[in-house]
Amino acid sequence: MKVSREVPVTAWKPGKGLLPDRQRLVRDVVIPYQYRVLGDQQEGVEKSHALENLRLAGKKLRGEPVTEPFYGMVFQDSDVAKWLEAAAYALAYGPDPELEKMAQEVIGLFRDAQQEDGYLNSYFTVKAPERKWTNLQEAHELYCAGHLIEAACAWKECTGRDDLLEIVEKNVDCIYRQFMEKNTRGFPGHPEIEQALLRLYRITGKEKYRELSQHFVDVRGQAPHYFEEERKNRGWYLWEQDNRDVLDTDYTQSTQPVREQKDAVGHAVRAVYLYTAMADLAGETGEEALQQACRTLWESVTHRQMYVTGGIGSTVLGEAFTVDYDLPNATVYAETCASIGLIFFARRMLHMEAKGEYADVMERALYNTVLAGMQLDGKRFFYVNPLEVVPGISGKAVTQEHDLTQRPPWYACACCPPNVARLLSSLGSYAYSQGENTFFTHLYLDGEVESTLGYGLSFDTDYPRSGEICCTFHGEAETTLAFHIPAWSQQTTLTVNGEAQDLSALVKDGYAYVTRQFREGDQICLTLDMAPFKVYASSRVPADTGCVAVQRGPVVYCAEGVDNQGDVLSLSLAAEGTLTEEPYDPDLLGGIVPLMGEGWRSSPGEALYSRKRPERKPADVRLVPYCVWGNRGENQMRVWLPEV
Amino acid sequence: MKVSREVPVTAWKPGKGLLPDRQRLVRDVVIPYQYRVLGDQQEGVEKSHALENLRLAGKKLRGEPVTEPFYGMVFQDSDVAKWLEAAAYALAYGPDPELEKMAQEVIGLFRDAQQEDGYLNSYFTVKAPERKWTNLQEAHELYCAGHLIEAACAWKECTGRDDLLEIVEKNVDCIYRQFMEKNTRGFPGHPEIEQALLRLYRITGKEKYRELSQHFVDVRGQAPHYFEEERKNRGWYLWEQDNRDVLDTDYTQSTQPVREQKDAVGHAVRAVYLYTAMADLAGETGEEALQQACRTLWESVTHRQMYVTGGIGSTVLGEAFTVDYDLPNATVYAETCASIGLIFFARRMLHMEAKGEYADVMERALYNTVLAGMQLDGKRFFYVNPLEVVPGISGKAVTQEHDLTQRPPWYACACCPPNVARLLSSLGSYAYSQGENTFFTHLYLDGEVESTLGYGLSFDTDYPRSGEICCTFHGEAETTLAFHIPAWSQQTTLTVNGEAQDLSALVKDGYAYVTRQFREGDQICLTLDMAPFKVYASSRVPADTGCVAVQRGPVVYCAEGVDNQGDVLSLSLAAEGTLTEEPYDPDLLGGIVPLMGEGWRSSPGEALYSRKRPERKPADVRLVPYCVWGNRGENQMRVWLPEV
């Protein structure tokens, strides 16, 4: 029933430009770096122990003495699985014997850590074998399994090999027995396996995986609440909050069955992972009630609870959504993983129905929060993505301890860094999708993509540096090419072999549909409107009233102290002021188009409060893309500036 | 060494106008209401049980069976003591047999609850006698004792009776033995007894009370840290946070000895209660090091961590100070008690040295946060005083659960309501002070005050409705009258018997000193500049950039939804716009001067983000005093509005 499906990661070959460069950075730097971190071979970073945990599990299963304890989060295995998934994608570029060796070693660790019956989780095998399946609410067993499933699918897709798939199918069979054959109640506290099982279903064609995914989605939030039952029975807990008198079912999006949920609540990553699976399932089955629930939750997230940077989950308390329009810029959480999950959700919504809105949000999250999650050198990462940073307050005030001014090299809870890696190294599967005889382009990347419709496309662009995108058709077919027309592009032109087209006739719901008998070398060229513009938040958002943000294409800009005499707080943009593009600077922040805004600088004032309006002088406000902030040392940063 | 000392509460007779009216409200409504609450006789409010706890202690001491448990906070006794202090002040107006009966009953409860050795605390006597003095960090024994001391001093001062003083002195002797004679280490986790003991010292003339106060101030924060020692020894705790691995000594202002402290940190009420005692002691002894510490801490609080409403302590986490310039308006804490404590601190600083800055802050805290702490009917109270309220977010978002949109009738932790009562019913002791031959007026109130310098003054004013203040001299003396000239008054005139004076010659450090041979009927008239004005925060305060607040005299204004079509978030004030006084409305909000500001109303915008600047239409922004917000049902409220 889906309008379209993603193309395999291998179908896309990245070319030049911002995102392809980042994808190469992931392959060349991030993946080897993270391998060293996971193996505790990287000096001066937070200890991971993730590979060692798997080794310990293997030893234990072989009956060898295990002298060391399990270390780290209960979901430490998932860091490895996500890394492995990214490594698989990286191998799609072409052979890399060293990386392949690393990946094979890691697959071996998983193989050794797997129990006879297929069970696979180093935490429980090493530390608490008697507690298996007793704490679905918080122990992340199904979550870790989900990530390993995704790694296996990626590994199969990119290398053609079945070895990891075999391990994973044996593991899923174990899970299937537990929850389907034995009829054990339960569903994961942290969704992930639901979307992974659908992927496994598509790769293997085995219906039981889809069935298990559907099961986990359907039983979620059914009464009597499974987690209540579990708490009564289990007698142990991982975190203090799980032991509270009142179970917070919103945290796990399980207060109601999924089809009855109207508002995005709770832990933001869990939420969008769940919604992704719901949308994927709804697309597969065509079930209207589930589709409608997805649309309702999509609106709750993106129409009322999303930052302009595509960040979601505004509070550190539970890493969660709060209430509509509560989007503080300084105390914000906006976890990198949550924006990655929002991209997952957007992709599945796009497959369900081709609406530009979904691709718009995908772009917003990708070019802003997700890219901001990684330092330009690929070795430092943000977990939390503030829209305002003031050294002395950010990271220091007790309400902003989580809002760091600089990216750390690793985290005790390291979910985000490998998540960025796997997303950026599989961009092709987000950028394109294909329907029966329609090929969709959702994101503009320089490079080549192959469809299974008997043709390929090559894209020539340095987007988002410029809005010129030229797509060349390879092959011959009567088909439809659908191009996303971003909502921010005010003036868009589209030519076919040089002939201007009437865009209004072609565009429906944010996509331009070009249908014809295409021939080798046919060219469709798009010009998107890259003029910088100001963005205003609805005045329902208290944090942004009187303020303005600046965007150029999908890229949200910010003012940093280093470009503005160290003081961003005293800057404002002039209501009638212009925004000017500076020349592209290939040496600045990895290559950016800086902007200059006409504005004002006030004197900060000696007194805390004064009846004298601060003296205001015209000032040029220099702006750089938000995604590269914090790459030049600690300094003030703001996305929203007062407009006067 | 003090420049001046307060006049007794009994020296002032309130006349007409805002604060005298509030003082009468306290006597007529608040005190009887709170008596019913404390006695659990008020329907539909949070249970107090405070009187009952004392009764239980009495029963236990008499050997009667105690079937009921202690209920409430460990410091529940202090609610009663504060009420009793307020009741004593109310009796200074003149006889009130019913109130006197209530007070006598309560004194009887304290008497019955006192142990042979003088120990007096219902929590420990009823619930945990074996744990006495083992948890000074959190158990509030010395804090409760302090409040009872203040009540006894007030009772003596206002009724001349010694009965409560006898109980209290017996109690203090018990404390003196414990900490001075037995040389037990320790100091209170919540300061209060330090300032109370100084008051007791002045009432009784007994040096040992001053000595004990000095002792508690001096040992605070000395190494090895007493609370570390205590935690190791006691094996019990009241609150989870006391059992954390790391002791947060900032919370109790005990990381360093007081003379070394430079920044106001930790629980805001504790902080200002401590600083009050330090300033009082420094004034008594003239010790330069302590005086300097007080000045440094004063600046930390009021130059860098205070809201424009005089609120302090910006975070709910620990009800505490955070870091300089971190003053969020929506997630704010700004406890009513903290602003009351700031007034205490200001008073003692004023006695130490006559600087208008201290009186300015006293006025700011009093006319804004403290008055806002109480509903106009005297039966509902704010604990937390936000500067921005948005129904749907305030009180709902997990980071704003404490920021209520409406005053509740009582609290489980009910420190604020009786604190407001005792402050408002003893205003004379804040408004005036006298030095060797100088009489200071710090606050302008209609009414009469007697000095002990052989003369009295009567004030005729409806301040802050108007800035006209006429002071008539009663008696005959060569003396100096010192009048506070608020820093906000841009144009002030002072006449003596109708003759204009050269103010610049009279004013020093915010006080106009008028020295002459005064005769009966001499009139000093002041005209303060009550023109409404705009206030700007330093741009170092991220929360207020681009925004403006409005003040008239000491009264900070706010916009409420009820006056502004229900939507305050879409309002801004015009940079060049006027502020106009509306006629005084005696029937609105207890009698106020509403203001109208020229401004703008934007359309809230359909989309969360839009590149279209919201359409803006000129609009009158109606403003009312912040201190009366929330008296007309739940609605939006803002102190800081964008200025465009």
Side-chain angles (χ1 to χ4, degrees):
Chain A
M1 311 282 216
K2 288 185 169 182
V3 173
S4 68
R5 294 174 179 279
E6 72 257 40
V7 301
V9 168
T10 48
W12 185 58
K13 298 288 169 228
K16 63 183 193 297
L18 177 62
L19 286 176
D21 282 352
R22 286 289 200 287
Q23 181 156 355
R24 266 184 294 275
L25 181 72
V26 168
R27 183 191 59 178
D28 298 341
V29 175
V30 179
I31 290 176
Y33 171 80
Q34 295 191 350
Y35 174 79
R36 291 195 299 278
V37 173
L38 296 171
D40 306 312
Q41 293 158 3
Q42 184 70 32
E43 287 285 310
V45 312
E46 186 88 36
K47 174 171 157 183
S48 163
H49 210 258
L51 296 185
E52 193 57 26
N53 289 336
L54 289 167
R55 264 184 219 113
L56 295 178
K59 275 190 189 172
K60 187 156 174 191
L61 294 178
R62 289 192 299 274
E64 294 169 22
V66 174
T67 49
E68 232 184 311
F70 176 94
Y71 175 88
M73 294 285 166
V74 70
F75 46 82
Q76 210 81 340
D77 285 359
S78 66
D79 295 347
V80 186
K82 283 193 269 187
W83 175 86
L84 192 51
E85 185 183 340
Y89 298 141
L91 288 170
Y93 285 81
D96 180 339
E98 208 165 327
L99 178 56
E100 201 160 323
K101 210 182 113 200
M102 293 177 200
Q104 288 292 5
E105 180 215 343
V106 168
I107 291 171
L109 292 178
F110 277 113
R111 188 183 298 111
D112 290 353
Q114 186 164 40
Q115 299 188 187
E116 272 296 315
D117 65 353
Y119 187 86
L120 207 178
N121 183 295
S122 78
Y123 176 89
F124 284 94
T125 299
V126 174
K127 189 165 172 175
E130 72 290 355
R131 289 180 166 172
K132 279 191 286 192
W133 306 129
T134 60
N135 188 349
L136 300 187
Q137 187 194 333
E138 278 309 329
H140 288 68
E141 273 161 302
L142 294 168
Y143 169 86
C144 289
H147 276 301
L148 195 59
I149 294 168
E150 293 217 58
C153 295
W155 187 249
K156 168 72 178 172
E157 203 172 279
C158 298
T159 71
R161 282 201 288 272
D162 289 316
D163 45 356
L164 188 52
L165 212 49
E166 280 162 20
I167 297 168
V168 153
E169 289 202 63
K170 193 173 157 191
N171 182 224
V172 174
D173 287 345
C174 165
I175 295 166
Y176 189 90
R177 281 196 303 280
Q178 179 73 11
F179 293 95
M180 301 298 283
E181 294 173 5
K182 292 192 203 161
N183 266 323
T184 318
R185 288 198 75 205
F187 56 86
H190 196 316
E192 156 59 26
I193 196 168
E194 298 87 340
Q195 54 176 311
L197 284 166
L198 291 171
R199 198 168 167 186
L200 186 64
Y201 153 69
R202 286 191 284 264
I203 284 251
T204 62
K206 294 181 188 167
E207 178 61 28
K208 67 188 282 196
Y209 301 144
R210 198 203 55 76
E211 181 199 354
L212 184 57
S213 173
Q214 176 96 50
H215 169 79
F216 283 136
V217 168
D218 288 348
V219 300
R220 190 169 206 90
Q222 299 287 357
H225 202 290
Y226 169 71
F227 293 158
E228 289 285 5
E229 213 168 80
E230 186 182 83
R231 277 151 57 96
K232 279 189 207 116
N233 297 333
R234 73 169 179 255
W236 66 285
Y237 60 89
L238 281 160
W239 293 292
E240 188 56 43
Q241 68 257 32
D242 302 337
N243 202 34
R244 283 199 198 123
D245 288 347
V246 181
L247 175 69
D248 176 9
T249 53
D250 274 359
Y251 180 71
T252 51
Q253 298 78 40
S254 62
T255 302
Q256 294 158 299
V258 298
R259 288 166 187 79
E260 294 166 31
Q261 296 184 19
K262 306 272 180 253
D263 295 304
V265 294
H267 188 269
V269 177
R270 293 173 200 236
V272 282
Y273 278 29
L274 173 65
Y275 307 156
T276 299
M278 286 165 62
D280 197 352
L281 260 180
E284 288 290 346
T285 62
E287 185 203 327
E288 184 48 37
L290 195 57
Q291 289 192 3
Q292 196 45 50
C294 291
R295 289 187 200 104
T296 301
L297 290 165
W298 173 267
E299 289 188 8
S300 173
V301 174
T302 65
H303 294 197
R304 299 190 295 277
Q305 300 197 72
M306 181 182 70
Y307 286 92
V308 72
T309 52
I312 54 171
S314 69
T315 181
V316 62
L317 300 168
E319 309 181 318
F321 291 107
T322 62
V323 293
D324 290 350
Y325 307 113
D326 177 36
L327 295 164
N329 293 306
T331 57
V332 48
Y333 204 69
E335 183 178 340
T336 308
C337 281
S339 291
I340 291 173
L342 182 56
I343 291 173
F344 299 163
F345 185 21
R347 175 170 66 165
R348 295 307 170 194
M349 291 303 280
L350 271 177
H351 296 170
M352 193 176 98
E353 52 195 15
K355 292 195 170 169
E357 179 183 350
Y358 304 132
D360 287 334
V361 167
M362 190 190 270
E363 261 206 320
R364 189 182 285 285
L366 177 59
Y367 279 102
N368 300 294
T369 299
V370 173
L371 286 187
M374 187 166 74
Q375 191 87 349
L376 284 171
D377 68 1
K379 295 179 177 177
R380 301 176 77 92
F381 304 89
F382 273 134
Y383 193 112
V384 171
N385 296 282
L387 283 78
E388 170 180 297
V389 159
V390 179
I393 300 178
S394 304
K396 297 260 191 268
V398 65
T399 52
Q400 294 182 37
E401 281 176 359
H402 56 287
D403 287 295
L404 305 181
T405 61
Q406 292 283 279
R407 295 171 185 82
W410 204 249
Y411 292 87
C413 172
C415 51
C416 300
N419 227 0
V420 173
R422 72 187 183 119
L423 181 80
L424 291 182
S425 52
S426 59
L427 281 173
S429 69
Y430 298 87
Y432 311 103
S433 66
Q434 58 178 62
E436 218 167 316
N437 193 23
T438 307
F439 192 87
F440 289 89
T441 301
H442 308 297
L443 301 173
Y444 294 108
L445 305 168
D446 186 274
E448 293 166 28
V449 64
E450 276 301 315
S451 78
T452 58
L453 302 169
Y455 58 85
L457 301 175
S458 62
F459 285 86
D460 184 14
T461 182
D462 58 2
Y463 183 83
R465 177 180 160 189
S466 91
E468 304 293 333
I469 298 144
C470 228
C471 169
T472 306
F473 193 90
H474 300 291
E476 211 165 303
E478 190 176 344
T479 189
T480 300
L481 301 183
F483 298 94
H484 174 222
I485 309 298
W488 49 257
S489 181
Q490 298 279 66
Q491 290 189 307
T492 307
T493 60
L494 189 149
T495 62
V496 177
N497 294 329
E499 259 177 57
Q501 307 291 307
D502 176 7
L503 205 61
S504 64
L506 301 180
V507 172
K508 193 190 154 217
D509 277 348
Y511 281 83
Y513 292 84
V514 182
T515 304
R516 55 186 279 155
Q517 177 67 43
F518 282 99
R519 293 204 168 73
E520 177 67 36
D522 277 354
Q523 281 208 324
I524 302 96
C525 291
L526 265 170
T527 307
L528 302 177
D529 179 3
M530 300 304 283
F533 58 93
K534 293 182 178 178
V535 182
Y536 300 87
S538 162
S539 69
R540 294 185 183 92
V541 181
D544 300 337
T545 56
C547 292
V548 63
V550 171
Q551 212 175 313
R552 180 178 173 276
V555 177
V556 173
Y557 277 66
C558 68
E560 277 201 284
V562 64
D563 299 312
N564 293 285
Q565 301 169 38
D567 178 9
V568 164
L569 293 179
S570 67
L571 290 177
S572 52
L573 285 169
E576 307 305 329
T578 57
L579 294 170
T580 317
E581 284 184 17
E582 306 244 295
Y584 174 77
D585 184 343
D587 299 322
L588 182 61
L589 292 165
I592 62 162
V593 178
L595 299 179
M596 201 63 99
E598 281 184 356
W600 306 94
R601 179 180 294 285
S602 309
S603 67
E606 278 315 297
L608 183 56
Y609 303 109
S610 162
R611 57 189 291 168
K612 226 182 90 195
R613 175 179 294 121
E615 240 178 280
R616 210 155 66 188
K617 287 184 186 157
D620 287 330
V621 178
R622 193 172 160 91
L623 301 161
V624 297
Y626 172 76
C627 62
V628 291
W629 85 271
N631 271 283
R632 293 169 293 171
E634 186 175 81
N635 69 168
Q636 291 185 2
M637 184 277 288
R638 260 189 171 176
V639 169
W640 292 99
L641 294 169
E643 189 189 51
V644 291
Chain B
M1 312 281 218
K2 288 185 169 180
V3 172
S4 67
R5 295 174 179 278
E6 74 257 40
V7 302
V9 167
T10 48
W12 184 58
K13 298 287 170 229
K16 62 183 192 297
L18 177 62
L19 286 176
D21 282 352
R22 286 290 200 286
Q23 181 157 356
R24 265 183 295 275
L25 180 72
V26 168
R27 183 191 60 179
D28 297 342
V29 176
V30 180
I31 291 176
Y33 170 81
Q34 296 192 349
Y35 174 79
R36 290 194 301 276
V37 172
L38 296 171
D40 307 311
Q41 294 157 3
Q42 184 71 31
E43 286 284 309
V45 311
E46 185 89 36
K47 175 171 156 183
S48 163
H49 209 258
L51 296 184
E52 193 58 24
N53 289 335
L54 289 167
R55 264 183 218 113
L56 295 177
K59 276 190 190 173
K60 186 157 176 192
L61 294 178
R62 289 191 301 274
E64 294 169 20
V66 174
T67 49
E68 231 185 312
F70 176 94
Y71 175 89
M73 294 283 166
V74 70
F75 46 82
Q76 210 81 341
D77 285 0
S78 67
D79 296 347
V80 187
K82 283 194 270 187
W83 176 85
L84 192 53
E85 185 184 341
Y89 298 142
L91 288 169
Y93 286 80
D96 179 340
E98 208 165 328
L99 177 57
E100 200 161 323
K101 210 182 113 198
M102 293 176 199
Q104 287 292 4
E105 180 213 345
V106 168
I107 291 171
L109 291 178
F110 277 113
R111 187 185 297 110
D112 289 354
Q114 186 165 40
Q115 299 188 187
E116 273 295 316
D117 64 353
Y119 186 85
L120 207 179
N121 183 295
S122 77
Y123 176 89
F124 285 93
T125 298
V126 173
K127 189 165 174 175
E130 72 289 357
R131 290 179 165 172
K132 279 191 285 191
W133 305 130
T134 59
N135 188 350
L136 300 187
Q137 187 194 333
E138 278 309 327
H140 288 69
E141 272 161 304
L142 294 168
Y143 169 85
C144 289
H147 276 302
L148 195 60
I149 294 168
E150 293 216 58
C153 295
W155 187 248
K156 168 72 179 174
E157 203 172 277
C158 299
T159 71
R161 283 201 287 272
D162 289 315
D163 45 357
L164 187 53
L165 211 49
E166 280 162 19
I167 297 168
V168 153
E169 289 201 63
K170 194 173 157 190
N171 183 225
V172 175
D173 286 346
C174 165
I175 295 167
Y176 189 90
R177 281 195 304 279
Q178 179 74 10
F179 293 95
M180 300 299 284
E181 292 174 6
K182 292 193 202 162
N183 266 323
T184 317
R185 288 198 74 204
F187 55 87
H190 196 317
E192 156 59 25
I193 196 168
E194 299 87 341
Q195 55 176 311
L197 284 166
L198 291 170
R199 199 169 167 187
L200 186 64
Y201 152 69
R202 286 191 284 266
I203 284 250
T204 63
K206 294 180 188 167
E207 179 61 29
K208 65 188 283 196
Y209 302 145
R210 197 203 57 75
E211 181 199 353
L212 184 57
S213 172
Q214 177 95 51
H215 169 79
F216 283 136
V217 168
D218 288 348
V219 301
R220 191 169 206 91
Q222 299 287 357
H225 202 289
Y226 169 71
F227 292 158
E228 289 285 6
E229 212 168 81
E230 187 183 84
R231 277 152 57 97
K232 279 189 207 116
N233 297 333
R234 72 169 179 254
W236 65 285
Y237 60 89
L238 280 160
W239 292 291
E240 189 55 46
Q241 68 257 34
D242 302 337
N243 200 35
R244 283 198 198 123
D245 288 348
V246 180
L247 175 70
D248 176 9
T249 52
D250 274 359
Y251 179 71
T252 51
Q253 298 80 39
S254 62
T255 303
Q256 295 158 297
V258 299
R259 289 167 187 79
E260 294 167 31
Q261 296 184 19
K262 305 274 181 252
D263 295 304
V265 295
H267 188 269
V269 178
R270 293 174 200 236
V272 283
Y273 278 30
L274 173 65
Y275 308 156
T276 299
M278 286 164 62
D280 197 353
L281 260 180
E284 288 291 346
T285 62
E287 184 203 328
E288 184 49 36
L290 195 56
Q291 289 192 2
Q292 196 45 51
C294 292
R295 289 185 200 106
T296 302
L297 290 165
W298 173 267
E299 289 189 7
S300 173
V301 173
T302 65
H303 294 196
R304 298 190 295 277
Q305 301 197 71
M306 181 182 70
Y307 286 92
V308 71
T309 52
I312 54 171
S314 68
T315 182
V316 62
L317 300 168
E319 310 181 316
F321 291 107
T322 62
V323 293
D324 290 350
Y325 307 114
D326 177 36
L327 296 165
N329 294 305
T331 57
V332 48
Y333 204 69
E335 183 178 342
T336 309
C337 281
S339 290
I340 292 173
L342 181 56
I343 291 172
F344 299 164
F345 185 21
R347 174 169 68 165
R348 295 307 170 196
M349 291 303 281
L350 272 177
H351 296 169
M352 193 175 97
E353 52 195 16
K355 291 194 171 170
E357 178 184 350
Y358 305 131
D360 287 334
V361 167
M362 190 190 270
E363 260 205 321
R364 189 182 286 283
L366 177 59
Y367 279 102
N368 300 294
T369 299
V370 173
L371 286 187
M374 188 167 73
Q375 191 87 350
L376 285 171
D377 68 1
K379 295 179 178 176
R380 300 176 78 93
F381 304 90
F382 272 134
Y383 194 112
V384 170
N385 296 282
L387 283 77
E388 170 180 297
V389 159
V390 179
I393 300 179
S394 304
K396 297 260 192 266
V398 64
T399 53
Q400 294 182 36
E401 281 175 358
H402 55 287
D403 287 294
L404 305 181
T405 60
Q406 292 283 277
R407 295 171 186 82
W410 203 250
Y411 292 87
C413 172
C415 52
C416 299
N419 225 0
V420 172
R422 71 186 184 120
L423 181 80
L424 292 181
S425 53
S426 60
L427 282 172
S429 69
Y430 299 86
Y432 312 102
S433 67
Q434 60 179 60
E436 216 167 318
N437 194 22
T438 306
F439 192 87
F440 289 89
T441 301
H442 307 298
L443 302 172
Y444 295 108
L445 305 168
D446 186 272
E448 293 166 28
V449 63
E450 275 302 316
S451 77
T452 57
L453 301 170
Y455 57 86
L457 302 174
S458 62
F459 285 86
D460 184 12
T461 182
D462 58 3
Y463 182 84
R465 177 180 160 189
S466 92
E468 304 293 333
I469 297 143
C470 229
C471 168
T472 306
F473 193 91
H474 301 290
E476 211 166 304
E478 189 177 342
T479 189
T480 300
L481 301 183
F483 298 94
H484 174 222
I485 309 298
W488 49 257
S489 181
Q490 298 278 67
Q491 291 189 305
T492 307
T493 60
L494 189 149
T495 63
V496 177
N497 294 330
E499 261 177 56
Q501 307 292 308
D502 174 8
L503 205 62
S504 64
L506 300 180
V507 171
K508 194 191 152 215
D509 278 348
Y511 282 82
Y513 292 85
V514 183
T515 305
R516 55 187 278 155
Q517 177 67 41
F518 283 98
R519 293 204 168 73
E520 177 67 35
D522 278 352
Q523 282 208 323
I524 301 97
C525 291
L526 265 170
T527 306
L528 303 178
D529 179 2
M530 300 306 282
F533 58 93
K534 293 182 178 177
V535 182
Y536 299 87
S538 163
S539 69
R540 294 186 182 92
V541 181
D544 300 336
T545 57
C547 293
V548 62
V550 171
Q551 211 174 315
R552 180 178 173 276
V555 178
V556 173
Y557 277 67
C558 68
E560 277 200 283
V562 64
D563 299 313
N564 293 284
Q565 301 169 38
D567 178 8
V568 163
L569 294 179
S570 67
L571 291 176
S572 52
L573 285 169
E576 306 305 329
T578 57
L579 294 170
T580 317
E581 284 184 18
E582 306 245 295
Y584 174 77
D585 184 343
D587 298 322
L588 182 61
L589 292 165
I592 62 161
V593 178
L595 298 179
M596 201 63 99
E598 282 184 357
W600 305 94
R601 179 179 295 283
S602 308
S603 67
E606 278 315 298
L608 183 56
Y609 303 109
S610 162
R611 58 188 292 167
K612 226 182 91 195
R613 175 180 295 120
E615 238 177 281
R616 208 154 67 187
K617 288 184 184 158
D620 286 331
V621 179
R622 193 173 160 90
L623 301 161
V624 298
Y626 172 77
C627 62
V628 291
W629 84 270
N631 272 281
R632 292 170 294 171
E634 185 175 80
N635 70 168
Q636 291 186 1
M637 184 277 288
R638 260 189 172 177
V639 170
W640 292 99
L641 294 169
E643 190 190 51
V644 293

